[in-house]
């Protein structure tokens, strides 16, 4: 087994407060015997459930993240949630640029960049998601797109801010009910491109430390093979992780427990 492995789930616009409370409690209970020297575990539930999830979490076992964040502390930004509000309720992590934010809600690389800078400046673990569309893949420009998303998304980030930066590679065509999971070879190839770009940006020592997670139709069949790829540091899972027992089973499969 490699160094520490990352496991997380984004519950999207599913799970009410009641559902989230049950999920967080069950997940913690089921995984409490697994050493956190071996794994980092995180859940990113919807906004209205965050306060409850933060209150319920055992900090030694679980990190709780927000699915989005405004990039100013306050102001005339109706519908946005500020970093101060998320700090106030004990949120650990901010996800930035999930595929659905980019492609359903129309967020741009420039907006993701402002959020990344703001989240890092407020000391949040910051998970920047990148991924190409099916069309971009067809044109053979996946690697270029990933580099652009990274270079724009991380513009202005300095080495000193890197401690809490994580990246998720989630090809748009692999996500959700109609998604086809990337092969482990394809995912590995893009993870290598991401690693090279991070090293170009921040130098070898710092660039090598940033965890790179894979997401997009991860399930019980493909989790283990994906996790064995040298450049995949974690799995970011949607549907297959929304039942705590299935998520726990995936974690144990990967760890060989
Ligand atoms: P999925 O979702 O595992 O259900 O494809 C992944 C994601 O959107 O992060």
């Amino acid at each position: 087994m490699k160094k520490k492995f990352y496991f997380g789930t984004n519950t999207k616009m599913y799970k009410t407060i009641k559902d989230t409370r049950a999920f967080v409690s069950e997940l913690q209970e089921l995984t409490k015997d697994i050493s956190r020297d071996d794994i980092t575990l995180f859940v990113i539930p919807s906004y209205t459930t965050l306060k409850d999830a933060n209150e319920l979490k055992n900090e030694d076992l679980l990190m709780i993240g927000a699915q989005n964040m405004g990039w100013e502390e306050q102001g005339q930004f109706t519908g946005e949630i500020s970093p101060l509000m998320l700090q106030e309720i004990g949120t650990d992590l901010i996800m930035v640029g999930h595929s659905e934010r980019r492609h359903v809600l129309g967020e741009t690389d420039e907006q993701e960049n402002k959020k990344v800078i703001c989240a890092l400046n407020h000391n949040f673990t910051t998970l920047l998601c990148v991924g190409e569309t099916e069309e971009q893949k067809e044109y053979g420009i996946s690697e270029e797109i990933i580099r652009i998303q990274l270079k724009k998304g991380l513009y202005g980030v300095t080495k000193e801010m890197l401690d809490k930066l994580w990246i998720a590679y989630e090809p748009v065509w692999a996500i959700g009910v109609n998604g086809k999971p990337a092969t482990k070879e394809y995912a590995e190839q893009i993870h290598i491109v991401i690693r090279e770009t991070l090293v170009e940006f921040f130098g070898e020592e710092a660039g090598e430390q940033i965890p790179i997670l894979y997401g997009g139709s991860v399930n019980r069949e493909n989790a283990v093979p994906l996790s064995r790829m040298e450049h995949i540091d974690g799995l970011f899972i949607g549907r297959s992780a929304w039942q705590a027992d299935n998520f726990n089973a995936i974690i144990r499969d990967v760890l060989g427990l």
Side-chain angles (χ1 to χ4, degrees):
M1 199 52 219
K2 27 182 147 177
K3 47 183 200 266
K4 201 173 208 200
F5 205 74
Y6 293 74
F7 294 94
T9 186
N10 156 28
T11 63
K12 308 192 183 190
M13 201 174 72
Y14 294 98
K15 292 196 190 288
T16 60
I17 294 176
K18 186 164 164 258
D19 299 338
T20 301
R21 291 186 67 94
F23 177 69
V24 165
S25 307
E26 195 184 346
L27 184 63
Q28 291 189 145
E29 186 57 33
L30 289 171
T31 62
K32 67 180 183 201
D33 63 308
I34 301 174
S35 166
R36 266 43 182 184
D37 291 338
D38 297 331
I39 67 166
T40 294
L41 183 62
F42 62 98
V43 172
I44 308 183
S46 66
Y47 262 120
T48 54
T49 72
L50 269 177
K51 190 162 184 285
D52 284 67
N54 274 314
E55 279 166 9
L56 260 181
K57 83 181 165 204
N58 173 339
E59 286 185 10
D60 296 331
L61 300 178
L62 186 67
M63 293 170 74
I64 295 291
Q67 297 179 7
N68 182 28
M69 185 191 73
W71 60 74
E72 296 285 349
E73 290 193 346
Q74 58 177 21
Q76 302 177 93
F77 298 101
T78 301
E80 291 296 296
I81 310 284
S82 114
L84 302 185
M85 297 165 184
L86 291 166
Q87 274 174 348
E88 190 179 26
I89 56 168
T91 309
D92 306 292
L93 178 153
I94 310 294
M95 172 167 62
V96 176
H98 184 273
S99 157
E100 289 145 22
R101 300 295 314 170
R102 291 176 186 266
H103 299 290
V104 184
L105 285 309
E107 287 184 10
T108 63
D109 284 323
E110 290 75 9
Q111 291 173 325
E112 312 310 6
N113 178 237
K114 289 185 192 169
K115 295 179 190 197
V116 165
I117 298 279
C118 178
L120 290 172
N121 281 337
H122 287 82
N123 212 25
F124 289 111
T125 294
T126 303
L127 177 61
L128 173 65
C129 305
V130 297
E132 81 282 10
T133 63
E134 175 128 53
E135 191 190 18
Q136 290 163 339
K137 183 168 179 272
E138 288 300 310
Y139 278 119
I141 56 171
S142 305
E143 297 186 7
E144 286 86 343
I145 295 295
I146 299 300
R147 282 184 193 273
I148 290 169
Q149 289 179 349
L150 287 171
K151 291 195 169 186
K152 288 182 127 179
L154 298 176
Y155 185 74
V157 173
T158 61
K159 262 192 206 173
E160 293 66 44
M161 296 159 78
L162 286 185
D163 253 16
K164 294 199 160 184
L165 177 70
W166 304 352
I167 304 292
Y169 170 55
E170 298 204 291
V172 179
W173 45 269
I175 293 176
V177 274
N178 299 317
K180 326 176 255 315
T183 62
K184 61 185 198 306
E185 293 79 14
Y186 184 84
E188 174 75 353
Q189 179 194 331
I190 302 289
H191 278 235
I192 291 172
V193 171
I194 295 173
R195 180 65 70 206
E196 282 170 2
T197 310
L198 295 173
V199 167
E200 247 170 62
F201 244 45
F202 302 116
E204 194 160 330
E205 206 187 331
E208 292 284 354
Q209 296 310 314
I210 301 165
I212 309 173
L213 286 63
Y214 169 79
S217 294
V218 173
N219 56 41
R220 253 195 111 172
E221 282 73 58
N222 61 22
V224 173
L226 282 164
S227 74
R228 296 297 180 264
M229 302 313 282
E230 186 185 342
H231 293 87
I232 296 182
D233 304 315
L235 296 173
F236 190 29
I237 313 172
R239 287 155 297 148
S240 298
W242 296 342
Q243 301 291 334
D245 53 353
N246 207 47
F247 195 9
N248 174 51
I250 291 176
I251 296 168
R252 285 175 195 275
D253 288 349
V254 169
L255 297 178
L257 297 174

